[in-house]
Amino acid sequence: MSVADTAEKIKNMEIRGAGKIARSAAGALSEYSAGIAAKNMPLKEYLQNMHKAADILKGTRPTAVSLPNAVNITLRGIDSATITSTADADSLLQRNASEFIGNSKLAIQNIAEIGARYIKDGDTVMTHCNSNAAISCMLKAHEQGRDFEVFATEVRPRNQGYLTIKTLSDAGIKTNFIVDSAVRYFMKKVSLVITGCDAVTVNGAVINKIGTSQIALCAQEARVPFIVVGETYKFAPKTVMGGHIDIEERDASEIMPAEKAALLKNVTIRNPAFDVTPAEYVDYIITEKGAIPPAMAYLIIREHLGWEIGEFDTIRNGKSVS
Ligand code: RUB
């Protein structure tokens, strides 16, 4: 798919979920690179075009760190002095993109294996939003014969919860669909909460769909373990150097039709898409490298991401980071 189409679909959420956004961005860059390399474009021009495309993709949704990480990993090395032709740059980029996409799919399989071990016979699992990583753990536990049921939230205003219950129900997992405001009411029946994540900061805070932090609070009150699952490329290197994660605020029309909102003269409709769950509410973060306590987020950033994707250098050189 073209960069423009991919960017549009990410913006309007036809492509959504942090992992899928990341893989689609890598795929679009690889297609674009192959296209312009085939036209024998001079290296300088090729690089300018690739960075422009990268910026377009990075600018689509601000919160999921998987997006800039995927873009940076895909472009890694194409500007280096050892690359002297467009063909070399393109073949490096193709390798980066296919490695990233392959590793990202593999990561989900590993997370599913590890995450499934936390789900026991007789458990009641609560989940929020529509996370491929979280769902994979439940599907794997079900596949392995564990008998458990799920409470899945509706997820206002975009109703991603429907996608979750449809997948779980199709797989034959007993699922209860609840409105977001019923979380505390049902928490006493729940033995484990599993959610995905869009970003993890250096202090182990987790950014995920709006409402996640309220669920974490309820889980802590009820002493229910709260587990977050996410690939390592959802950890945010820029937070080591004081960078912040922007919380996307989406259009008010997702909450109320514009004509109806227009009647409310003194009302501002607020629509944040994500919130921050502090590390102390999170029992484990399960990555493809294994389960870690949130306090170990720095190690993941340093050992599995950090310098590799060049964000630290970008910060050192005084350029802005995304
Ligand atoms: C999706 C969301 C998901 C994470 C993780 O929000 O909050 O929990 O992105 O998903 P949105 P995954 O619908 O606004 O994109 O595990 O699939 O990467």
Side-chain angles (χ1 to χ4, degrees):
M1 200 190 306
S2 75
V3 168
D5 285 351
T6 306
E8 187 48 40
K9 283 185 194 308
I10 294 174
K11 252 190 220 158
N12 69 23
M13 292 175 63
E14 269 176 73
I15 297 172
R16 48 149 301 282
K20 195 163 179 206
I21 287 173
R23 284 187 295 277
S24 307
L29 287 171
S30 114
E31 198 181 306
Y32 182 57
S33 169
I36 58 175
K39 291 181 189 148
N40 293 321
M41 187 178 275
L43 180 60
K44 195 170 165 209
E45 209 182 317
Y46 164 89
L47 291 174
Q48 280 167 353
N49 277 291
M50 287 314 302
H51 284 290
K52 215 163 126 192
D55 287 344
I56 290 172
L57 289 164
K58 282 183 185 175
T60 51
R61 288 193 80 188
T63 303
V65 165
S66 55
L67 175 58
N69 280 352
V71 168
N72 293 344
I73 290 168
T74 303
L75 263 53
R76 185 164 61 211
I78 61 168
D79 297 283
S80 97
T82 56
I83 298 289
T84 52
S85 72
T86 297
D88 284 354
D90 175 53
S91 77
L92 176 61
L93 189 143
Q94 297 305 330
R95 251 196 336 270
N96 289 344
S98 78
E99 239 174 67
F100 174 78
I101 293 169
N103 287 341
S104 155
K105 290 180 178 162
L106 208 60
I108 290 292
Q109 287 174 26
N110 290 344
I111 288 170
E113 288 287 345
I114 303 166
R117 296 191 187 120
Y118 288 80
I119 302 173
K120 302 181 298 298
D121 263 334
D123 266 352
T124 300
V125 180
M126 184 176 277
T127 192
H128 185 53
C129 200
N130 179 248
S131 155
N132 182 28
I135 289 174
S136 301
C137 298
M138 293 181 249
L139 293 177
K140 180 57 78 178
H142 178 68
E143 204 181 290
Q144 291 172 344
R146 241 100 74 229
D147 181 21
F148 61 97
E149 76 180 89
V150 176
F151 277 76
T153 49
E154 181 184 21
V155 193
R156 276 275 291 152
R158 298 288 298 241
N159 304 328
Q160 291 95 323
Y162 180 80
L163 302 172
T164 299
I165 54 156
K166 177 82 172 73
T167 306
L168 297 174
S169 159
D170 287 351
I173 299 173
K174 189 175 167 207
T175 305
N176 303 275
F177 190 41
I178 62 170
V179 295
D180 303 326
S181 44
V183 161
R184 187 164 180 259
Y185 180 82
F186 285 114
M187 190 57 81
K188 51 186 166 302
K189 292 185 188 298
V190 172
S191 46
L192 179 68
V193 179
I194 305 183
T195 75
C197 57
D198 284 81
V200 179
T201 64
V202 67
N203 65 352
V206 167
I207 291 91
N208 191 47
K209 180 52 57 193
I210 188 79
T212 303
S213 69
Q214 284 178 178
I215 299 177
L217 197 61
C218 295
Q220 189 169 74
E221 179 196 41
R223 296 177 186 275
V224 171
F226 185 91
I227 292 180
V228 172
V229 288
E231 306 87 307
T232 49
Y233 60 80
K234 291 173 181 169
F235 286 62
K238 68 179 177 181
T239 59
V240 175
M241 305 297 273
H244 295 285
I245 307 289
D246 293 332
I247 300 292
E248 177 183 17
E249 184 142 356
R250 295 186 62 85
D251 203 87
S253 61
E254 289 187 342
I255 294 188
M256 194 183 287
E259 320 77 69
K260 207 169 160 189
L263 302 173
L264 306 168
K265 295 290 172 229
N266 295 309
V267 174
T268 307
I269 297 168
R270 303 291 307 267
N271 185 17
F274 300 96
D275 67 17
V276 182
T277 301
E280 56 268 33
Y281 293 93
V282 179
D283 288 278
Y284 301 99
I285 302 175
I286 298 177
T287 74
E288 71 275 19
K289 306 285 175 193
I292 57 155
M296 273 176 64
Y298 175 69
L299 278 190
I300 296 287
I301 291 173
R302 194 185 153 135
E303 287 179 13
H304 300 291
L305 289 169
W307 282 274
E308 269 188 5
I309 62 169
E311 281 197 334
F312 290 136
D313 285 336
T314 319
I315 296 164
R316 274 199 217 101
N317 296 338
K319 293 188 204 146
S320 67
V321 286
S322 50

